[in-house]
mmCIF file of all heavy atoms in Angstrom:
data_model
loop_
_atom_site.group_PDB
_atom_site.id
_atom_site.type_symbol
_atom_site.label_atom_id
_atom_site.label_comp_id
_atom_site.label_asym_id
_atom_site.label_seq_id
_atom_site.Cartn_x
_atom_site.Cartn_y
_atom_site.Cartn_z
ATOM 1 N N VAL A 207 -27.873 46.760 -93.453
ATOM 2 C CA VAL A 207 -29.268 46.554 -93.861
ATOM 3 C C VAL A 207 -30.166 46.353 -92.640
ATOM 4 O O VAL A 207 -29.908 45.473 -91.807
ATOM 5 C CB VAL A 207 -29.380 45.323 -94.782
ATOM 6 C CG1 VAL A 207 -30.821 45.119 -95.227
ATOM 7 C CG2 VAL A 207 -28.471 45.475 -95.991
ATOM 8 N N HIS A 208 -31.234 47.158 -92.564
ATOM 9 C CA HIS A 208 -32.176 47.059 -91.441
ATOM 10 C C HIS A 208 -33.620 47.240 -91.912
ATOM 11 O O HIS A 208 -34.408 47.923 -91.263
ATOM 12 C CB HIS A 208 -31.817 48.091 -90.369
ATOM 13 C CG HIS A 208 -30.435 47.939 -89.832
ATOM 14 N ND1 HIS A 208 -30.054 46.896 -89.017
ATOM 15 C CD2 HIS A 208 -29.317 48.668 -90.048
ATOM 16 C CE1 HIS A 208 -28.771 47.013 -88.722
ATOM 17 N NE2 HIS A 208 -28.296 48.069 -89.337
ATOM 18 N N VAL A 209 -33.960 46.628 -93.035
ATOM 19 C CA VAL A 209 -35.323 46.710 -93.560
ATOM 20 C C VAL A 209 -36.037 45.373 -93.370
ATOM 21 O O VAL A 209 -35.410 44.332 -93.195
ATOM 22 C CB VAL A 209 -35.346 47.077 -95.062
ATOM 23 C CG1 VAL A 209 -34.902 48.509 -95.274
ATOM 24 C CG2 VAL A 209 -34.480 46.117 -95.866
ATOM 25 N N ASN A 210 -37.359 45.416 -93.428
ATOM 26 C CA ASN A 210 -38.144 44.189 -93.430
ATOM 27 C C ASN A 210 -38.013 43.495 -94.786
ATOM 28 O O ASN A 210 -37.743 44.149 -95.801
ATOM 29 C CB ASN A 210 -39.625 44.487 -93.170
ATOM 30 C CG ASN A 210 -39.885 44.933 -91.747
ATOM 31 O OD1 ASN A 210 -39.235 44.479 -90.812
ATOM 32 N ND2 ASN A 210 -40.835 45.843 -91.582
ATOM 33 N N LEU A 211 -38.207 42.196 -94.800
ATOM 34 C CA LEU A 211 -38.236 41.455 -96.056
ATOM 35 C C LEU A 211 -39.612 41.602 -96.681
ATOM 36 O O LEU A 211 -40.619 41.185 -96.108
ATOM 37 C CB LEU A 211 -37.917 39.978 -95.812
ATOM 38 C CG LEU A 211 -37.992 39.070 -97.041
ATOM 39 C CD1 LEU A 211 -36.990 39.505 -98.095
ATOM 40 C CD2 LEU A 211 -37.775 37.613 -96.643
ATOM 41 N N THR A 212 -39.652 42.216 -97.861
ATOM 42 C CA THR A 212 -40.892 42.415 -98.597
ATOM 43 C C THR A 212 -40.631 42.062 -100.062
ATOM 44 O O THR A 212 -39.494 41.775 -100.450
ATOM 45 C CB THR A 212 -41.368 43.876 -98.503
ATOM 46 O OG1 THR A 212 -40.389 44.714 -99.154
ATOM 47 C CG2 THR A 212 -41.528 44.323 -97.057
ATOM 48 N N ASP A 213 -41.674 42.102 -100.856
ATOM 49 C CA ASP A 213 -41.485 41.888 -102.292
ATOM 50 C C ASP A 213 -40.522 42.927 -102.871
ATOM 51 O O ASP A 213 -39.765 42.642 -103.800
ATOM 52 C CB ASP A 213 -42.832 41.966 -103.023
ATOM 53 C CG ASP A 213 -43.738 40.785 -102.700
ATOM 54 O OD1 ASP A 213 -43.211 39.749 -102.251
ATOM 55 O OD2 ASP A 213 -44.962 40.905 -102.896
ATOM 56 N N GLU A 214 -40.543 44.112 -102.315
ATOM 57 C CA GLU A 214 -39.692 45.202 -102.803
ATOM 58 C C GLU A 214 -38.225 45.001 -102.422
ATOM 59 O O GLU A 214 -37.323 45.332 -103.196
ATOM 60 C CB GLU A 214 -40.191 46.537 -102.223
ATOM 61 C CG GLU A 214 -39.409 47.742 -102.688
ATOM 62 C CD GLU A 214 -39.901 49.029 -102.034
ATOM 63 O OE1 GLU A 214 -40.837 48.959 -101.206
ATOM 64 O OE2 GLU A 214 -39.346 50.098 -102.354
ATOM 65 N N THR A 215 -37.978 44.454 -101.230
ATOM 66 C CA THR A 215 -36.590 44.326 -100.756
ATOM 67 C C THR A 215 -35.983 42.952 -101.022
ATOM 68 O O THR A 215 -34.768 42.789 -100.905
ATOM 69 C CB THR A 215 -36.505 44.606 -99.247
ATOM 70 O OG1 THR A 215 -37.295 43.640 -98.526
ATOM 71 C CG2 THR A 215 -36.995 46.009 -98.923
ATOM 72 N N LYS A 216 -36.788 41.975 -101.389
ATOM 73 C CA LYS A 216 -36.255 40.633 -101.638
ATOM 74 C C LYS A 216 -35.246 40.668 -102.790
ATOM 75 O O LYS A 216 -35.553 41.101 -103.891
ATOM 76 C CB LYS A 216 -37.386 39.662 -101.966
ATOM 77 C CG LYS A 216 -36.920 38.222 -102.125
ATOM 78 C CD LYS A 216 -38.103 37.283 -102.346
ATOM 79 C CE LYS A 216 -37.640 35.834 -102.461
ATOM 80 N NZ LYS A 216 -38.792 34.915 -102.667
ATOM 81 N N GLY A 217 -34.028 40.217 -102.512
ATOM 82 C CA GLY A 217 -32.993 40.160 -103.526
ATOM 83 C C GLY A 217 -32.509 41.510 -104.025
ATOM 84 O O GLY A 217 -31.876 41.593 -105.080
ATOM 85 N N ILE A 218 -32.753 42.571 -103.263
ATOM 86 C CA ILE A 218 -32.383 43.910 -103.722
ATOM 87 C C ILE A 218 -30.873 44.074 -103.820
ATOM 88 O O ILE A 218 -30.362 44.841 -104.642
ATOM 89 C CB ILE A 218 -33.009 44.990 -102.804
ATOM 90 C CG1 ILE A 218 -32.882 46.367 -103.449
ATOM 91 C CG2 ILE A 218 -32.395 44.971 -101.421
ATOM 92 C CD1 ILE A 218 -33.653 47.453 -102.721
ATOM 93 N N PHE A 219 -30.142 43.318 -102.973
ATOM 94 C CA PHE A 219 -28.687 43.322 -103.093
ATOM 95 C C PHE A 219 -28.281 42.152 -103.985
ATOM 96 O O PHE A 219 -28.113 41.025 -103.545
ATOM 97 C CB PHE A 219 -28.024 43.255 -101.716
ATOM 98 C CG PHE A 219 -28.080 44.555 -100.993
ATOM 99 C CD1 PHE A 219 -29.119 44.830 -100.120
ATOM 100 C CD2 PHE A 219 -27.129 45.532 -101.217
ATOM 101 C CE1 PHE A 219 -29.190 46.050 -99.466
ATOM 102 C CE2 PHE A 219 -27.189 46.761 -100.580
ATOM 103 C CZ PHE A 219 -28.227 47.022 -99.695
ATOM 104 N N ASN A 220 -28.155 42.489 -105.255
ATOM 105 C CA ASN A 220 -27.828 41.507 -106.274
ATOM 106 C C ASN A 220 -26.573 41.961 -107.017
ATOM 107 O O ASN A 220 -25.881 42.894 -106.598
ATOM 108 C CB ASN A 220 -29.001 41.323 -107.234
ATOM 109 C CG ASN A 220 -29.477 42.652 -107.815
ATOM 110 O OD1 ASN A 220 -28.742 43.642 -107.837
ATOM 111 N ND2 ASN A 220 -30.719 42.681 -108.282
ATOM 112 N N LYS A 221 -26.287 41.310 -108.134
ATOM 113 C CA LYS A 221 -25.076 41.636 -108.894
ATOM 114 C C LYS A 221 -25.034 43.106 -109.291
ATOM 115 O O LYS A 221 -23.991 43.764 -109.193
ATOM 116 C CB LYS A 221 -24.994 40.749 -110.141
ATOM 117 C CG LYS A 221 -23.725 40.927 -110.949
ATOM 118 C CD LYS A 221 -23.669 39.928 -112.100
ATOM 119 C CE LYS A 221 -22.361 40.064 -112.880
ATOM 120 N NZ LYS A 221 -22.279 39.070 -113.981
ATOM 121 N N THR A 222 -26.177 43.625 -109.711
ATOM 122 C CA THR A 222 -26.231 45.025 -110.121
ATOM 123 C C THR A 222 -25.928 45.957 -108.958
ATOM 124 O O THR A 222 -25.158 46.921 -109.096
ATOM 125 C CB THR A 222 -27.616 45.357 -110.702
ATOM 126 O OG1 THR A 222 -27.860 44.519 -111.835
ATOM 127 C CG2 THR A 222 -27.696 46.811 -111.112
ATOM 128 N N ALA A 223 -26.536 45.671 -107.807
ATOM 129 C CA ALA A 223 -26.309 46.521 -106.635
ATOM 130 C C ALA A 223 -24.856 46.465 -106.178
ATOM 131 O O ALA A 223 -24.231 47.507 -105.917
ATOM 132 C CB ALA A 223 -27.236 46.097 -105.500
ATOM 133 N N PHE A 224 -24.296 45.267 -106.079
ATOM 134 C CA PHE A 224 -22.908 45.145 -105.619
ATOM 135 C C PHE A 224 -21.940 45.831 -106.578
ATOM 136 O O PHE A 224 -20.924 46.387 -106.164
ATOM 137 C CB PHE A 224 -22.537 43.674 -105.438
ATOM 138 C CG PHE A 224 -23.236 43.008 -104.293
ATOM 139 C CD1 PHE A 224 -23.947 41.827 -104.486
ATOM 140 C CD2 PHE A 224 -23.188 43.549 -103.018
ATOM 141 C CE1 PHE A 224 -24.599 41.204 -103.419
ATOM 142 C CE2 PHE A 224 -23.839 42.943 -101.945
ATOM 143 C CZ PHE A 224 -24.553 41.765 -102.150
ATOM 144 N N SER A 225 -22.260 45.825 -107.875
ATOM 145 C CA SER A 225 -21.371 46.443 -108.861
ATOM 146 C C SER A 225 -21.291 47.956 -108.699
ATOM 147 O O SER A 225 -20.340 48.586 -109.169
ATOM 148 C CB SER A 225 -21.845 46.102 -110.280
ATOM 149 O OG SER A 225 -23.054 46.782 -110.595
ATOM 150 N N LYS A 226 -22.264 48.552 -108.022
ATOM 151 C CA LYS A 226 -22.279 50.001 -107.820
ATOM 152 C C LYS A 226 -21.579 50.421 -106.526
ATOM 153 O O LYS A 226 -21.385 51.614 -106.290
ATOM 154 C CB LYS A 226 -23.726 50.506 -107.805
ATOM 155 C CG LYS A 226 -24.454 50.322 -109.130
ATOM 156 C CD LYS A 226 -25.900 50.772 -109.042
ATOM 157 C CE LYS A 226 -26.615 50.542 -110.383
ATOM 158 N NZ LYS A 226 -28.047 50.939 -110.319
ATOM 159 N N MET A 227 -21.210 49.447 -105.704
ATOM 160 C CA MET A 227 -20.587 49.762 -104.425
ATOM 161 C C MET A 227 -19.081 49.978 -104.573
ATOM 162 O O MET A 227 -18.469 49.564 -105.559
ATOM 163 C CB MET A 227 -20.881 48.636 -103.425
ATOM 164 C CG MET A 227 -22.355 48.534 -103.064
ATOM 165 S SD MET A 227 -22.788 47.087 -102.054
ATOM 166 C CE MET A 227 -21.931 47.480 -100.516
ATOM 167 N N LYS A 228 -18.504 50.621 -103.587
ATOM 168 C CA LYS A 228 -17.067 50.894 -103.587
ATOM 169 C C LYS A 228 -16.276 49.586 -103.451
ATOM 170 O O LYS A 228 -16.732 48.654 -102.782
ATOM 171 C CB LYS A 228 -16.702 51.804 -102.418
ATOM 172 C CG LYS A 228 -17.251 53.210 -102.481
ATOM 173 C CD LYS A 228 -16.751 54.000 -101.273
ATOM 174 C CE LYS A 228 -17.226 55.436 -101.286
ATOM 175 N NZ LYS A 228 -16.693 56.199 -100.130
ATOM 176 N N PRO A 229 -15.078 49.517 -104.008
ATOM 177 C CA PRO A 229 -14.260 48.308 -103.840
ATOM 178 C C PRO A 229 -13.789 48.093 -102.405
ATOM 179 O O PRO A 229 -13.417 46.976 -102.044
ATOM 180 C CB PRO A 229 -13.073 48.549 -104.792
ATOM 181 C CG PRO A 229 -13.051 50.016 -105.035
ATOM 182 C CD PRO A 229 -14.470 50.479 -104.951
ATOM 183 N N ASN A 230 -13.836 49.144 -101.577
ATOM 184 C CA ASN A 230 -13.469 48.996 -100.159
ATOM 185 C C ASN A 230 -14.695 48.779 -99.271
ATOM 186 O O ASN A 230 -14.579 48.724 -98.049
ATOM 187 C CB ASN A 230 -12.734 50.249 -99.670
ATOM 188 C CG ASN A 230 -13.666 51.449 -99.525
ATOM 189 O OD1 ASN A 230 -14.298 51.861 -100.498
ATOM 190 N ND2 ASN A 230 -13.759 52.004 -98.335
ATOM 191 N N ALA A 231 -15.885 48.644 -99.873
ATOM 192 C CA ALA A 231 -17.130 48.611 -99.108
ATOM 193 C C ALA A 231 -17.310 47.314 -98.331
ATOM 194 O O ALA A 231 -16.955 46.228 -98.788
ATOM 195 C CB ALA A 231 -18.326 48.820 -100.033
ATOM 196 N N ILE A 232 -17.907 47.467 -97.142
ATOM 197 C CA ILE A 232 -18.289 46.332 -96.297
ATOM 198 C C ILE A 232 -19.807 46.249 -96.284
ATOM 199 O O ILE A 232 -20.486 47.241 -95.988
ATOM 200 C CB ILE A 232 -17.753 46.504 -94.867
ATOM 201 C CG1 ILE A 232 -16.226 46.468 -94.854
ATOM 202 C CG2 ILE A 232 -18.317 45.418 -93.941
ATOM 203 C CD1 ILE A 232 -15.619 46.822 -93.497
ATOM 204 N N PHE A 233 -20.334 45.073 -96.594
ATOM 205 C CA PHE A 233 -21.784 44.842 -96.613
ATOM 206 C C PHE A 233 -22.175 44.091 -95.348
ATOM 207 O O PHE A 233 -21.608 43.034 -95.037
ATOM 208 C CB PHE A 233 -22.163 44.021 -97.845
ATOM 209 C CG PHE A 233 -23.605 43.580 -97.881
ATOM 210 C CD1 PHE A 233 -24.619 44.496 -98.106
ATOM 211 C CD2 PHE A 233 -23.943 42.239 -97.688
ATOM 212 C CE1 PHE A 233 -25.951 44.096 -98.135
ATOM 213 C CE2 PHE A 233 -25.267 41.832 -97.722
ATOM 214 C CZ PHE A 233 -26.274 42.759 -97.946
ATOM 215 N N ILE A 234 -23.146 44.636 -94.593
ATOM 216 C CA ILE A 234 -23.613 44.028 -93.350
ATOM 217 C C ILE A 234 -25.111 43.749 -93.455
ATOM 218 O O ILE A 234 -25.890 44.646 -93.793
ATOM 219 C CB ILE A 234 -23.369 44.951 -92.134
ATOM 220 C CG1 ILE A 234 -21.897 45.367 -92.033
ATOM 221 C CG2 ILE A 234 -23.840 44.271 -90.849
ATOM 222 C CD1 ILE A 234 -20.955 44.252 -91.716
ATOM 223 N N ASN A 235 -25.515 42.517 -93.151
ATOM 224 C CA ASN A 235 -26.943 42.180 -93.170
ATOM 225 C C ASN A 235 -27.307 41.451 -91.881
ATOM 226 O O ASN A 235 -26.864 40.328 -91.635
ATOM 227 C CB ASN A 235 -27.287 41.302 -94.376
ATOM 228 C CG ASN A 235 -28.792 41.117 -94.542
ATOM 229 O OD1 ASN A 235 -29.586 41.611 -93.741
ATOM 230 N ND2 ASN A 235 -29.192 40.392 -95.570
ATOM 231 N N THR A 236 -28.112 42.117 -91.045
ATOM 232 C CA THR A 236 -28.650 41.491 -89.828
ATOM 233 C C THR A 236 -30.176 41.453 -89.880
ATOM 234 O O THR A 236 -30.821 41.251 -88.860
ATOM 235 C CB THR A 236 -28.209 42.269 -88.571
ATOM 236 O OG1 THR A 236 -28.644 43.635 -88.678
ATOM 237 C CG2 THR A 236 -26.696 42.229 -88.394
ATOM 238 N N ALA A 237 -30.746 41.667 -91.073
ATOM 239 C CA ALA A 237 -32.205 41.754 -91.216
ATOM 240 C C ALA A 237 -32.798 40.409 -91.626
ATOM 241 O O ALA A 237 -33.272 39.641 -90.781
ATOM 242 C CB ALA A 237 -32.562 42.849 -92.217
ATOM 243 N N ARG A 238 -32.762 40.096 -92.913
ATOM 244 C CA ARG A 238 -33.237 38.825 -93.435
ATOM 245 C C ARG A 238 -32.319 38.404 -94.583
ATOM 246 O O ARG A 238 -31.933 39.220 -95.422
ATOM 247 C CB ARG A 238 -34.684 38.926 -93.940
ATOM 248 C CG ARG A 238 -35.739 38.972 -92.838
ATOM 249 C CD ARG A 238 -35.856 37.647 -92.106
ATOM 250 N NE ARG A 238 -36.942 37.617 -91.138
ATOM 251 C CZ ARG A 238 -36.819 37.954 -89.859
ATOM 252 N NH1 ARG A 238 -35.648 38.371 -89.408
ATOM 253 N NH2 ARG A 238 -37.847 37.876 -89.045
ATOM 254 N N GLY A 239 -31.997 37.117 -94.639
ATOM 255 C CA GLY A 239 -31.059 36.630 -95.634
ATOM 256 C C GLY A 239 -31.512 36.821 -97.062
ATOM 257 O O GLY A 239 -30.699 37.064 -97.958
ATOM 258 N N ALA A 240 -32.814 36.727 -97.303
ATOM 259 C CA ALA A 240 -33.320 36.827 -98.671
ATOM 260 C C ALA A 240 -33.214 38.233 -99.241
ATOM 261 O O ALA A 240 -33.473 38.438 -100.431
ATOM 262 C CB ALA A 240 -34.776 36.352 -98.727
ATOM 263 N N ILE A 241 -32.810 39.201 -98.435
ATOM 264 C CA ILE A 241 -32.620 40.557 -98.949
ATOM 265 C C ILE A 241 -31.403 40.606 -99.864
ATOM 266 O O ILE A 241 -31.333 41.446 -100.758
ATOM 267 C CB ILE A 241 -32.489 41.557 -97.776
ATOM 268 C CG1 ILE A 241 -33.851 41.663 -97.059
ATOM 269 C CG2 ILE A 241 -32.033 42.932 -98.250
ATOM 270 C CD1 ILE A 241 -33.811 42.444 -95.761
ATOM 271 N N HIS A 242 -30.445 39.715 -99.646
ATOM 272 C CA HIS A 242 -29.312 39.650 -100.569
ATOM 273 C C HIS A 242 -29.347 38.337 -101.353
ATOM 274 O O HIS A 242 -29.806 37.314 -100.857
ATOM 275 C CB HIS A 242 -27.971 39.797 -99.833
ATOM 276 C CG HIS A 242 -27.624 38.663 -98.920
ATOM 277 N ND1 HIS A 242 -27.798 38.708 -97.550
ATOM 278 C CD2 HIS A 242 -27.081 37.441 -99.174
ATOM 279 C CE1 HIS A 242 -27.396 37.584 -97.010
ATOM 280 N NE2 HIS A 242 -26.947 36.795 -97.975
ATOM 281 N N ASN A 243 -28.866 38.397 -102.576
ATOM 282 C CA ASN A 243 -28.695 37.203 -103.393
ATOM 283 C C ASN A 243 -27.333 36.616 -103.040
ATOM 284 O O ASN A 243 -26.303 37.228 -103.301
ATOM 285 C CB ASN A 243 -28.763 37.578 -104.877
ATOM 286 C CG ASN A 243 -28.595 36.380 -105.790
ATOM 287 O OD1 ASN A 243 -27.593 35.676 -105.752
ATOM 288 N ND2 ASN A 243 -29.594 36.146 -106.632
#
Side-chain angles (χ1 to χ4, degrees):
V207 181
H208 301 289
V209 291
N210 290 326
L211 177 61
T212 64
D213 291 340
E214 182 183 1
T215 62
K216 185 176 182 180
I218 192 171
F219 284 93
N220 53 21
K221 184 175 182 178
T222 300
F224 291 127
S225 71
K226 295 177 181 178
M227 294 172 67
K228 293 182 178 182
N230 72 301
I232 295 172
F233 173 71
I234 305 293
N235 189 358
T236 58
R238 285 291 186 269
I241 292 171
H242 67 260
N243 180 301

